[in-house]
Amino acid sequence: MTGGSIHQLFEERARRTPDHIAVITDSDRIAYERLDTEAGRLAAYLATNGGLPHSGSTVAICAQRPAEVLVAILAVLKAGHAYAVVDPGTPAQELHRLLAHADAVITNGSLLPRVDDGRGRTAICPDTAAADIAHTEAAPHDAAGRASGGPAAVLFTAGTTGSRTAVATGHDRLLAAYAAWSQVYGLSPEDRLLVTAPPAAVEFTGGWIRALCSGATLVLTERPVTAGRITAEQVTVADMSPATAAGLLDEELPSLRLLAVGGAPLRLDEQLRLQGLLPAVGARVLSVYGTAEVAGCGTWFEPEQLPGPVAHPERAAYLGLPFPGVAADLRKGRIWLTPPEGGDAVPTGDIGRRQGEGPLEFRGRTADRVTIDGRTVDTYRVETALADHPHIQDVVITGDRGRTGSRLIAFVVPSARAPFGAAPEGASLRAGLTGLVPTGDVPAAVVRLKKLPLNAAGKVDRAELPLPPIPGAVRASGKSGGSDDATEGAIAAAVGVSSGFLAAALTGVIFPGATDLTGVPGPWNALFVLLYLAEWLAFAVGMGFLAVGRGVMLRRSESRGLTTAAHLAIVYLLVAWWPQDNLYRLTAKTDWPQQAALVYAFNVPLMIAALIVLIWVVASLPAVRQRDR
């Protein structure tokens, strides 16, 4: 299907069934005619007030509610431009990087300070300009025909292998993807399609297109997805991530005829369990796969594609067959996808295999493989080997990102069957992996987590996995080994005590007269004695921290350079008080050259040191938060 515009399919549905419910949210039901009118008015307002130099410009959408985003998407398309959805919760630096692609932005009034990056682009706030937009005449449908074949969206990759990358997508690709999805999903106006992906995800774009271009009802929610909500809204088709689907594994879903799971590969055993929750005859569970480069339209799998039983379904994840119009090729074990409307094949960064005429099988990501002692370790192979471990619910295997040496780390979410919720220790892992992977592929450390960190696309965010405190000393309880802590404590105590006594003994030698209290009446002389003791104690603590503090800090941060700077800054903040106060006491108050020298030698570096420590604390917060979960 080529020619025309993707939103014209929606407009045709709005003309044919104006009163049919297009969108169900947590608090509203929006008919096709109302949705079309609201989007048309915003499109006309954008055309007049957007300051866009030409058709085909990129308009960023950064709004809080999915329904607001949907109206803005349709408005941008109607106005003849391309949309790019950005999550308002994105960290400021990344948010501004993603917004750099935009010529204008549609946002909420409360988000204006966040989206303003100083570039002077036009910002339109439908909430604060609601009255003006309501009095704007909706853009005519035929005006949208000028966008035929042009740019439609800027989709962003999930960012699992680095920064999120922008992918320009045209109407032809989205139309071809819709035609391919239609043949596999078979949606009709009677369907209600639940989409759980956030608006910034590629899966959201696929979801709204499948629903609204088919005349079906799109169900959006900001609440946790439950089987009760699915049944109450009579949802017949659901799109969700494996993590969301896992929360439904113990509930029946009688209203569903089709459950599509995407965003990350779905294990075969989980797919079979989900299939058992759909009691309706002919109900299906699909595992769908597709990158931003192909608008999310890549391959689909259901167990019927298998030529026979699989011995270990918990160790297999299948990508299946290409959607109509798509090609899925293996080049030296790497998966390449051809977009649905044709063109050049694009690499996915994923590894696969195909046995005979069977479906394509997922075998991990090239970016997730790690090098240990000069040898490449297939972490996906280790993860799948542990998938049937009785005490493990989820597991991710990574390296230590070069921070503490060459070793493998297992991040484990204990299963409900684990005794007292404890994660298995190294011995249990070795037993479970014996004969399945090489000895060198057994993780050297285990970190217990309540859940794996996920990014906006529902994929495991490996950059947010907290590294363990001490190599080889992480226990199932998540606490570090006591012997290493005791050694560090002994070293710190020895260095600190000796340094404190040395400072007290040398004060009178290095700073003669600085601590002379002759003539100072009580109780003030006692207060000064306490001050001297505090200075010597701070010096002692600082010297002890100089000896062992860097190792302690490295366990809470991934940046060696910043951690080293912060370590030295903390040491300076502690030890500087002893020489500083003594020199101040020996300097006459009217000796301005000496006073200025002391200020710039001590006070300014103290401010800089405090700033460095603050930067390190802020940079380390994500790892600390994840470790505490």
Side-chain angles (χ1 to χ4, degrees):
M1 180 185 296
T2 59
S5 304
I6 190 65
H7 56 283
Q8 289 177 312
L9 296 179
F10 158 73
E11 292 170 349
E12 175 61 24
R13 294 292 180 179
R15 284 192 291 265
R16 291 168 55 185
T17 56
D19 297 327
H20 189 63
I21 299 300
V23 182
I24 295 176
T25 70
D26 293 330
S27 59
D28 200 3
R29 278 167 159 70
I30 306 173
Y32 268 85
E33 183 178 42
R34 175 183 157 195
L35 180 61
D36 187 42
T37 299
E38 290 182 2
R41 286 173 177 164
L42 182 55
Y45 188 85
L46 176 64
T48 304
N49 301 278
L52 298 171
H54 52 76
S55 62
S57 298
T58 299
V59 179
I61 301 170
C62 185
Q64 293 172 325
R65 300 190 179 283
E68 296 173 331
V69 174
L70 180 62
V71 171
I73 286 174
L74 293 171
V76 171
L77 293 174
K78 283 172 171 287
H81 303 295
Y83 70 86
V85 181
V86 181
D87 188 340
T90 305
Q93 184 175 0
E94 177 73 358
L95 178 69
H96 292 161
R97 187 183 69 83
L98 298 179
L99 288 173
H101 298 276
D103 302 296
V105 61
I106 298 176
T107 187
N108 301 118
S110 60
L111 295 175
L112 273 177
R114 281 188 55 78
V115 303
D116 185 7
D117 58 1
R119 294 175 180 263
R121 66 171 60 85
T122 301
I124 292 178
C125 303
D127 52 351
T128 59
D132 292 336
I133 295 173
H135 289 90
T136 302
E137 185 176 353
H141 289 170
D142 58 356
R146 295 193 297 267
S148 298
V154 175
L155 306 177
F156 296 102
T157 59
T160 52
T161 59
S163 299
R164 301 184 68 189
T165 303
V167 179
T169 304
H171 284 273
D172 284 348
R173 179 164 298 177
L174 294 182
L175 286 167
Y178 168 69
W181 288 321
S182 296
Q183 294 185 52
V184 175
Y185 281 66
L187 292 182
S188 72
E190 288 71 37
D191 280 311
R192 290 189 173 187
L193 170 59
L194 170 68
V195 174
T196 65
V202 175
E203 289 77 15
F204 184 88
T205 284
W208 81 255
I209 289 175
R210 287 191 288 270
L212 299 186
C213 294
S214 300
T217 299
L218 178 65
V219 181
L220 302 175
T221 181
E222 298 175 68
R223 302 171 185 169
V225 176
T226 64
R229 177 69 190 277
I230 291 175
T231 302
E233 294 295 353
Q234 297 180 325
V235 172
T236 59
V237 181
D239 278 350
M240 60 184 63
S241 68
T244 303
L248 304 174
L249 282 175
D250 296 324
E251 303 282 349
E252 286 195 356
L253 304 170
S255 66
L256 284 185
R257 69 167 185 82
L258 177 64
L259 173 59
V261 182
L266 180 66
R267 290 205 322 255
L268 179 58
D269 66 319
E270 294 175 330
Q271 189 168 358
L272 294 174
R273 286 181 62 190
L274 288 169
Q275 185 73 56
L277 303 178
L278 310 183
V281 177
R284 306 158 66 200
V285 176
L286 305 184
S287 177
V288 296
Y289 165 80
T291 61
E293 290 83 356
V294 295
C297 183
T299 64
W300 63 284
F301 170 77
E302 55 185 342
E304 285 74 10
Q305 297 174 8
L306 291 170
V310 175
H312 295 282
E314 69 280 352
R315 300 177 188 172
Y318 291 94
L319 304 180
L321 304 175
F323 278 98
V326 177
D329 302 316
L330 289 177
R331 303 181 184 180
K332 297 182 178 179
R334 271 57 171 177
I335 301 173
W336 290 64
L337 294 178
T338 300
E341 90 286 14
D344 296 332
V346 294
T348 65
D350 294 330
I351 304 164
R353 71 180 179 186
R354 184 183 286 114
Q355 296 180 340
E357 298 300 321
L360 183 64
E361 182 181 358
F362 178 79
R363 298 299 299 169
R365 296 186 61 84
T366 54
D368 294 341
R369 291 183 169 182
V370 298
T371 301
I372 302 295
D373 297 328
R375 183 175 55 86
T376 299
V377 176
D378 182 356
T379 56
Y380 181 77
R381 180 182 179 186
V382 184
E383 292 166 358
T384 54
L386 290 171
D388 59 348
H389 193 291
H391 296 161
I392 293 179
Q393 175 179 315
D394 291 305
V395 60
V396 170
I397 309 295
T398 74
D400 60 6
R401 301 192 284 275
R403 195 188 70 179
T404 52
S406 297
R407 59 180 178 147
L408 285 176
I409 303 170
F411 296 90
V412 172
V413 178
S415 70
R417 292 172 290 175
F420 306 108
E425 298 187 13
S428 178
L429 289 184
R430 281 191 290 274
L433 294 173
T434 299
L436 298 177
V437 301
T439 304
D441 291 359
V442 177
V446 181
V447 176
R448 174 191 173 189
L449 300 174
K450 291 184 178 179
K451 60 181 180 180
L452 296 175
L454 304 177
N455 60 19
K459 299 180 181 180
V460 176
D461 191 342
R462 293 174 181 252
E464 289 294 315
L465 292 168
L467 297 182
I470 302 171
V474 176
R475 309 299 182 195
S477 64
K479 297 180 181 179
S480 57
S483 60
D484 298 279
D485 291 341
T487 301
E488 288 182 338
I491 294 174
V495 173
V497 170
S498 60
S499 298
F501 277 114
L502 190 63
L506 294 179
T507 298
V509 178
I510 301 176
F511 310 106
T515 56
D516 184 6
L517 297 177
T518 302
V520 179
W524 311 112
N525 53 4
L527 292 177
F528 278 105
V529 170
L530 291 176
L531 175 63
Y532 302 154
L533 291 175
E535 291 171 357
W536 295 331
L537 178 61
F539 185 83
V541 173
M543 295 304 292
F545 195 73
L546 176 65
V548 301
R550 184 170 180 270
V552 174
M553 295 173 69
L554 277 174
R555 299 169 199 160
R556 292 161 174 80
S557 175
E558 300 174 14
S559 174
R560 300 178 69 88
L562 179 58
T563 298
T564 299
H567 170 230
L568 296 177
I570 293 174
V571 172
Y572 183 81
L573 287 169
L574 290 167
V575 305
W577 295 108
W578 174 56
Q580 175 185 240
D581 279 4
N582 283 289
L583 288 173
Y584 268 122
R585 287 191 289 267
L586 293 174
T587 302
K589 291 185 177 180
T590 56
D591 188 350
W592 305 120
Q594 186 73 4
Q595 290 282 355
L598 290 175
V599 166
Y600 281 92
F602 288 101
N603 293 45
V604 172
L606 283 172
M607 300 175 196
I608 297 174
L611 178 61
I612 293 173
V613 174
L614 176 62
I615 294 173
W616 179 84
V617 169
V618 173
S620 304
L621 279 177
V624 174
R625 282 199 302 266
Q626 185 61 40
R627 185 180 294 109
D628 291 339
R629 291 177 184 173

